[in-house]
């Protein structure tokens, strides 16, 4: 499909004598559904990156346009989105958000010669089982995230009862499994392990079980909606336990669900790029437009920056030429200089621990120097 589309574009330009055309690139994530807050983060980052790149002259003299794909964090819908991008002839996609979407969609991108850089998909299989070149991520991996979380829990909650929950998704279960692995390596086994279903709203029986086990920390491998409900219902039912989760609660929506019950929630996330001096003007521009640069906004911006910089260095948007640059050079972005390893993983620092306080998250005081 891809070759036919490119041939058609070339023929049209030859026949019309047209000047350089716009380049359409994609951004894909949950634009609807319960994880739409994260889809909005990806969209904000993509729109700002394209505006800034175009203002600086575009890519090799061509302006960028954005095509938005809504996968609703559903694997089948993600494949449909990937095929839609292929039919549009896009050379690059920033996405997807959920690992359960990125993994099947990457098969389509590999077959169609489309570069995919995920800002947020952390499951190791995304790159460990990479279907071909051209598949990358600018975030860390769950085995890195689990090492930080599991090590912290084993150290700070030694001898205490810990519950580990997951939502059965590729992301949530993968993250919970990695956290347990490193907890146990540190000498602490979970007292309670349980899976729940995405969309579940009443966690009373689970909370009763955790109260009976005298749980002091609840680790949640899952997204902000259920994590927020668990935190709120635990407090309402008198379970005085610290809640800890991963990068899928880096959204104000988490606090909107928990209210004060979210106070003291811990989470692992990459170092906050908003604190980078070079990010300041971009953050200011985003906030001037009444939006926020929280979570994965700047990671999406960086994914598009990396592809654009590689295309400029290659003097082409052709798959092989751009991947050659991505595979070999460090590229300046808003989150730092990006360098990808042989799997397509980024070599930036991994994860630190954050704490929610007063409706905002920031580095956990003890880890602020990291």
């Amino acid at each position: 499909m891809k070759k036919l589309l490119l041939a058609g574009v070339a023929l049209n330009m030859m026949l019309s004598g047209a000047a350089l055309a716009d380049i359409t690139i994609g951004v894909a994530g949950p634009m609807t559904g319960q994880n739409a807050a994260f889809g909005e983060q990806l969209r904000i980052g993509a729109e700002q990156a394209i505006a800034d790149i175009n203002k600086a002259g575009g890519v090799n003299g061509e302006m960028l346009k954005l095509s938005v794909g809504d996968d609703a964090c559903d694997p089948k819908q993600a494949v449909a989105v990937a095929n839609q991008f292929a039919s549009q002839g896009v050379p690059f996609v920033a996405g997807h958000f959920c690992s359960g979407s990125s993994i099947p969609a990457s098969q389509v991108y590999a077959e169609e010669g489309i570069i995919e850089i995920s800002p947020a998909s952390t499951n190791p299989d995304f790159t460990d089982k990479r279907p071909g070149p051209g598949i990358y991520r600018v975030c860390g991996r769950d085995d890195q995230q689990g090492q930080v979380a599991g090590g912290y829990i084993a150290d700070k909650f030694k001898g205490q009862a810990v519950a580990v929950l997951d939502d059965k998704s590729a992301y949530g279960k993968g993250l919970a499994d990695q956290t347990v692995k490193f907890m146990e390596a540190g000498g602490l086994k979970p007292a309670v392990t349980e899976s729940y279903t995405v969309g579940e709203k009443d966690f009373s029986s689970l909370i009763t079980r955790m109260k009976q086990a005298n749980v002091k920390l609840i680790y949640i491998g899952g997204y902000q909606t259920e994590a927020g409900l668990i935190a709120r219902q635990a407090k309402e039912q008198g379970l005085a336990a610290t809640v800890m989760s991963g990068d899928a609660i880096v959204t104000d929506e988490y606090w909107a669900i928990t209210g004060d019950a979210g106070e003291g929630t811990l989470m692992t996330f990459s170092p906050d790029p908003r604190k980078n001096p070079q990010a300041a003007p971009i953050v200011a521009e985003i906030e001037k437009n009444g939006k926020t640069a929280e979570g994965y906004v700047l990671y999406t911006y960086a994914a598009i920056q990396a592809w654009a910089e590689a295309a400029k260095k290659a003097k082409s948007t052709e798959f092989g030429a751009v991947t050659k640059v991505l595979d070999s050079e460090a590229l300046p972005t808003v989150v730092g200089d990006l360098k990808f390893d042989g799997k397509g993983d980024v070599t930036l620092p991994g994860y630190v621990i954050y704490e929610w306080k007063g409706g905002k998250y920031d580095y956990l005081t003890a880890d602020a120097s990291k």
Side-chain angles (χ1 to χ4, degrees):
M1 181 190 294
K2 182 78 171 181
K3 291 179 180 178
L4 289 173
L5 286 164
L6 292 175
V9 170
L11 179 60
N12 287 337
M13 290 182 69
M14 289 173 61
L15 291 175
S16 64
L20 294 174
D22 290 339
I23 303 169
T24 298
I25 64 172
V27 64
M31 304 301 163
T32 58
Q34 72 172 36
N35 292 315
F38 290 106
E40 182 65 9
Q41 289 180 9
L42 270 60
R43 184 202 296 265
I44 291 169
E47 289 175 346
Q48 190 63 50
I50 287 176
D52 291 345
I53 290 168
N54 285 345
K55 187 176 179 180
V59 174
N60 301 327
E62 297 177 282
M63 297 294 104
L64 299 181
K65 292 176 61 178
L66 186 64
S67 178
V68 179
D70 177 16
D71 64 25
C73 275
D74 176 78
K76 291 182 180 178
Q77 198 162 321
V79 169
V81 167
N83 281 311
Q84 178 185 351
F85 284 145
S87 71
Q88 294 171 354
V90 306
F92 162 70
V93 173
H96 297 223
F97 173 74
C98 292
S99 296
S101 292
S102 277
I103 291 169
S106 70
Q107 296 281 346
V108 177
Y109 298 133
E111 291 169 5
E112 297 290 347
I114 298 171
I115 293 170
E116 176 189 14
I117 304 180
S118 173
S121 293
T122 55
N123 189 290
D125 282 354
F126 177 58
T127 48
D128 284 354
K129 298 180 180 179
R130 193 185 193 199
I135 307 299
Y136 308 89
R137 59 175 144 209
V138 295
C139 57
R141 297 160 50 106
D142 286 336
D143 42 5
Q144 297 171 320
Q145 192 168 190
Q147 182 175 12
V148 172
Y152 177 86
I153 294 167
D155 178 43
K156 302 298 183 182
F157 291 84
K158 185 176 182 179
Q160 300 183 62
V162 171
V164 178
L165 316 177
D166 73 82
D167 67 357
K168 308 177 193 174
S169 69
Y171 163 74
K173 187 171 191 319
L175 179 56
D177 288 349
Q178 290 293 332
T179 300
V180 169
K181 173 184 172 181
F182 288 102
M183 274 178 56
E184 293 183 342
L188 180 63
K189 290 189 175 183
V192 175
T193 56
E194 189 65 67
S195 295
Y196 58 85
T197 303
V198 172
E200 199 169 331
K201 299 188 184 308
D202 184 357
F203 296 94
S204 298
S205 61
L206 176 57
I207 291 167
T208 296
R209 182 183 169 196
M210 291 191 289
K211 286 176 68 176
Q212 291 171 343
N214 198 27
V215 163
K216 297 301 181 185
L217 180 133
I218 307 167
Y219 185 84
I220 304 171
Y223 295 93
Q224 78 285 358
T225 303
E226 290 79 21
L229 289 172
I230 291 168
R232 191 178 76 199
Q233 291 175 26
K235 183 173 182 179
E236 289 171 349
Q237 295 175 44
L239 175 56
T242 301
V243 174
M244 187 173 191
S245 190
D247 59 300
I249 65 167
V250 286
T251 167
D252 290 342
E253 190 173 291
Y254 174 73
W255 190 268
I257 295 168
T258 65
D260 291 343
E263 188 76 12
T265 295
L266 304 177
M267 70 179 183
T268 45
F269 185 50
S270 303
D272 192 342
R274 292 178 295 182
K275 297 181 183 292
N276 294 342
Q278 64 267 35
I282 298 163
V283 172
E285 188 66 23
I286 290 170
E287 291 178 346
K288 186 180 78 174
N289 295 324
K291 300 173 183 176
T292 174
E294 68 172 354
Y296 284 104
V297 170
L298 295 180
Y299 285 89
T300 308
Y301 189 107
I304 294 174
Q305 266 188 308
W307 174 82
E309 288 296 320
K312 290 175 189 177
K313 285 179 177 287
K315 296 180 171 58
S316 170
T317 58
E318 192 272 329
F319 179 86
V322 177
T323 55
K324 184 177 180 181
V325 177
L326 289 169
D327 290 341
S328 62
E329 299 195 29
L331 302 164
T333 76
V334 71
V335 302
D337 289 349
L338 290 183
K339 182 75 173 65
F340 297 103
D341 65 17
K343 288 183 177 181
D345 287 323
V346 73
T347 59
L348 286 172
Y351 290 89
V352 293
I353 297 175
Y354 292 75
E355 183 177 19
W356 279 89
K357 285 185 176 182
K360 303 292 181 183
Y361 61 84
D362 204 345
Y363 295 139
L364 181 63
T365 304
D367 294 355
S369 62
K370 293 185 180 180

